Amino acid sequence: MTEVKPFKTILYATNLGTHMRPVFRQAVNLARIHQAKIIMLHAVAPIGMTGQAILSMYLPDKEVHDIEQDSMNQVIETMRERLKNYCSEEDDICKDKDALIDKIAVSAGNPADVINHYAETHGVDLIVIGTHTRHAGGHTMLGSTARTVTQHSKVPVLMIPNGE
């Protein structure tokens, strides 16, 4: 039988969507219960080969790299601002946020691949992700990122409903 280990590092994967609050709240609650740290991660889809080719025609490689880096920094700043707003509105949740939030990270790539790779390379014990449900023809559908993460993850994944 596999030994059940406590969660010490929780990866909260966010798409920065408007319905992520329940997911973050669950990550915070679990971090408190397990005395764990949270890594907030957002995956940015790469611009692709066509976008790279177009940009490189008009800009030197260094400027393209600088633009990409500026964009990543902007996303991190957006995440910090949302965390600040969230905590000001739900102060009972975030009274100890500085002790809970270990890192805010942004990485480029396919979101499911980024999440699983990040979890494997950063000693993550649990991934907390929203289901990103959509309603199609009266049925609730699981988002492709959540589905792929759960299929390929080597660590436990907790999916939290975050549909509209």
Side-chain angles (χ1 to χ4, degrees):
M1 188 153 115
T2 306
E3 179 186 349
V4 177
K5 297 185 290 184
F7 302 129
K8 292 296 174 195
T9 304
I10 297 171
L11 181 64
Y12 161 63
T14 178
N15 64 2
L16 298 178
T18 56
H19 300 286
M20 292 302 292
R21 227 171 239 226
V23 183
F24 183 63
R25 188 177 298 118
Q26 191 66 258
V28 168
N29 288 336
L30 285 168
R32 281 197 179 130
I33 291 167
H34 292 271
Q35 298 177 335
K37 294 285 189 178
I38 297 173
I39 298 173
M40 297 174 68
L41 175 66
H42 176 69
V44 177
I47 61 173
M49 304 255 317
T50 304
Q52 283 279 27
I54 291 170
L55 283 175
S56 66
M57 285 180 9
Y58 297 102
L59 299 170
D61 286 342
K62 181 173 177 359
E63 284 188 40
V64 171
H65 179 274
D66 290 348
I67 290 170
E68 288 174 340
Q69 194 59 49
D70 287 347
S71 295
M72 296 285 225
N73 290 337
Q74 223 171 22
V75 172
I76 288 173
E77 195 51 44
T78 298
M79 291 171 75
R80 283 191 179 120
E81 190 63 30
R82 285 199 176 182
L83 179 61
K84 181 180 161 188
N85 292 340
Y86 177 87
C87 289
S88 69
E89 294 167 13
E90 300 196 28
D91 55 294
D92 65 314
I93 296 290
C94 291
K95 62 184 172 227
D96 53 358
K97 78 170 174 58
D98 293 333
L100 294 175
I101 307 299
D102 184 46
K103 185 188 294 185
I104 296 176
V106 178
S107 190
N110 172 288
D113 295 339
V114 166
I115 293 164
N116 282 328
H117 181 263
Y118 204 94
E120 287 177 35
T121 58
H122 289 82
V124 168
D125 303 303
L126 175 70
I127 298 169
V128 177
I129 188 170
T131 56
H132 199 67
T133 54
R134 302 226 167 145
H135 299 283
H139 299 288
T140 301
M141 298 176 63
L142 185 62
S144 60
T145 299
R147 183 177 57 251
T148 304
V149 167
T150 57
Q151 288 172 337
H152 299 286
S153 178
K154 294 181 178 155
V155 300
V157 178
L158 177 61
M159 288 193 301
I160 307 299
N162 65 325
E164 297 177 31

